[in-house]
Amino acid sequence: MDRLDNTIRPYAWGSPTAIPHLLGAEPTGEPQAEMWMGAHPGAPSRTARGSLAEVIDANPEAELGKAAVAKFGPHLPFLLKILAAGAPLSLQVHPNLEQAKDGYTDEERRGIPVDAPHRNYKDANHKPEMICALTEFDGLCGFRDPVQAADLLAGLDVDSLKPYVDLLHAHPEEAALREVLTAILSADPEEMARTVTETTAACARLGGDYAPYADLAHHYPGDPGVIAAMLLNHVRLQPGEALFLGAGIPHAYLNGLGVEIMATSDNVLRCGLTPKHVDVPELLRVVRFEAGDPGVLRPEASPDGEEVYEAPIDEFRLSRYVLPKGTAAHDLTLDTPQILLCTAGAVRAGEHELSPGQSVFVPAGEQAEVSGEGTVFRATVIV
């Protein structure tokens, strides 16, 4: 079992205080957005044996187990994070596995550098993900019913939004959502900037359900993503609740601290709320134009105390143990690789004492017990 030393990424949208407070450290004044736990080549966790990527590369079957290597290849198929949003992230979608493979192959064939600003596919993998709230956590997830979206837009009484309202009422669900998102992202930039300015003023005046969109416009003035965001469900997770974000589901995290897990990939197609490249035709090919409930997840408890966040994906499995004082140790030994992360209290994982924000990597088959008083998240795979 290896204690992990993890990199904190200072993205501009990160909270300057949330991760330091979790770790019991003094804020630096700089944003601290994500703490990465895993073997992602961009920032692999460090261990006493070298980086976790190096450890796994040296003997994949010993670290990951034969079944995991046979199913996913000789690499850790998930990345675990602590995510601290102090400002909204970009509105985005992720491709499915077939789209990712095709898009990556095509861009490689065309010789587009992987680090090019207009490159869409950094790798050939999909990027399903899950966020579990540690504090109240606000986000956008999936399309609203078109009629509900039309009512929200109509309530602003902004003339330039009325064509979108009419479209949302006039077509079947998929066509309505597709036409309106296409129109928003293809609009003349100057005209859209004026629409966003008028919309922002109306949202600020009305408050209530419109308040999140006034905040978006504060961070991204004139961005068409402010209007696109109003087509989506606004979700407020309570601590312990989660969202699963599958392929093609438009989403954005707005504010809060959470544990995030995802398949190891960097493939993101942006819809707005960003100065980065937005490839509208490719985005429209990937988005699933389906309205529905965002599907807030609550953990399902098992007799041994494990609380599992069910998701239709094999690259990761997320669960947690909430350990009351004086409980017996839990045996967490598995034939698959694990990362154990403490988020509250003080727990013992094997020989390691963990405080909030500290984590360990457990190789496949390695005996793993946890005890103490606190909360431990467990990340592994399904084989």
Side-chain angles (χ1 to χ4, degrees), residues 129-175:
E129 61 190 38
M130 180 184 288
I131 184 76
C132 178
L134 296 178
T135 64
E136 274 198 348
F137 194 98
D138 280 86
L140 304 169
C141 179
F143 287 107
R144 300 175 186 266
D145 178 275
V147 173
Q148 294 176 354
D151 290 345
L152 190 70
L153 293 174
L156 292 166
D157 196 26
V158 173
D159 286 344
S160 53
L161 293 178
K162 291 178 181 178
Y164 305 143
V165 174
D166 293 340
L167 283 171
L168 289 167
H169 280 299
H171 294 283
E173 176 182 292
E174 180 178 345

Side-chain angles (χ1 to χ4, degrees), residues 60-62 64-71 335 364:
E61 287 195 353
L64 306 176
K66 289 185 178 180
V69 171
K71 187 167 186 176
D335 291 330

Side-chain angles (χ1 to χ4, degrees), residues 212-228:
Y213 309 103
D215 185 63
L216 288 181
H218 169 74
H219 291 285
Y220 300 101
D223 193 303
V226 175
I227 309 300

Side-chain angles (χ1 to χ4, degrees), residues 1-349:
M1 190 181 298
D2 299 277
R3 181 182 288 275
L4 298 179
D5 179 16
N6 304 305
T7 297
I8 296 176
R9 309 307 294 261
Y11 305 137
W13 50 262
S15 165
T17 58
I19 289 178
H21 286 174
L22 180 73
L23 299 176
E26 284 296 319
T28 64
E30 299 298 316
Q32 298 190 22
E34 296 179 346
M35 184 169 76
W36 287 20
M37 291 157 279
H40 190 288
S45 300
R46 298 168 294 278
T47 78
R49 297 188 285 160
S51 79
L52 188 56
E54 293 169 340
V55 169
I56 291 171
D57 286 346
N59 196 339
E61 287 195 353
E63 303 298 333
L64 306 176
K66 289 185 178 180
V69 171
K71 187 167 186 176
F72 304 111
H75 57 269
L76 188 67
F78 65 82
L79 176 64
L80 185 66
K81 301 178 181 180
I82 293 175
L83 182 147
L89 282 68
S90 63
L91 189 59
Q92 60 189 257
V93 297
H94 306 304
N96 62 31
L97 188 56
E98 182 179 358
Q99 290 165 340
K101 288 178 178 177
D102 290 347
Y104 179 78
T105 299
D106 176 62
E107 291 187 326
E108 286 289 282
R109 178 184 57 79
R110 290 189 283 141
I112 301 174
V114 173
D115 58 354
H118 62 290
R119 174 101 182 206
N120 292 316
Y121 296 95
K122 312 295 186 184
D123 51 70
N125 200 16
H126 60 167
K127 195 188 177 196
E129 61 190 38
M130 180 184 288
I131 184 76
C132 178
L134 296 178
T135 64
E136 274 198 348
F137 194 98
D138 280 86
L140 304 169
C141 179
F143 287 107
R144 300 175 186 266
D145 178 275
V147 173
Q148 294 176 354
D151 290 345
L152 190 70
L153 293 174
L156 292 166
D157 196 26
V158 173
D159 286 344
S160 53
L161 293 178
K162 291 178 181 178
Y164 305 143
V165 174
D166 293 340
L167 283 171
L168 289 167
H169 280 299
H171 294 283
E173 176 182 292
E174 180 178 345
L177 294 169
R178 178 181 292 275
E179 287 196 35
V180 173
L181 185 62
T182 302
I184 291 169
L185 298 181
S186 305
D188 177 80
E190 291 187 5
E191 292 181 6
M192 177 53 67
R194 286 194 292 271
T195 296
V196 174
T197 299
E198 292 182 51
T199 299
T200 302
C203 287
R205 183 180 68 255
L206 293 169
D209 290 343
Y210 293 100
Y213 309 103
D215 185 63
L216 288 181
H218 169 74
H219 291 285
Y220 300 101
D223 193 303
V226 175
I227 309 300
M230 300 182 76
L231 304 177
L232 307 184
N233 297 296
H234 176 242
V235 184
R236 175 165 291 169
L237 300 178
Q238 298 303 312
E241 294 180 336
L243 286 174
F244 173 76
L245 301 157
I249 303 298
H251 62 277
Y253 301 147
L254 304 182
N255 186 272
L257 181 70
V259 173
E260 185 183 38
I261 189 167
M262 61 183 60
T264 303
S265 172
D266 292 320
N267 286 327
V268 175
L269 290 158
R270 294 174 178 84
C271 312
L273 308 181
T274 178
K276 296 182 179 179
H277 176 63
V278 177
D279 185 335
V280 175
E282 185 65 14
L283 172 72
L284 296 173
R285 191 178 75 85
V286 168
V287 170
R288 288 167 53 189
F289 290 96
E290 301 171 3
D293 186 281
V296 174
L297 299 173
R298 295 170 182 85
E300 298 184 12
S302 60
D304 68 353
E306 185 181 27
E307 299 178 344
V308 181
Y309 293 91
E310 297 289 351
I313 198 73
D314 291 344
E315 281 89 342
F316 62 75
R317 177 183 183 273
L318 184 69
S319 62
R320 69 174 185 177
Y321 289 82
V322 180
L323 306 173
K325 186 176 182 180
T327 56
H330 291 267
D331 184 1
L332 271 59
T333 306
L334 290 175
D335 291 330
T336 51
Q338 304 180 69
I339 292 178
L340 306 178
L341 165 67
C342 175
T343 58
V347 301
R348 184 175 183 86

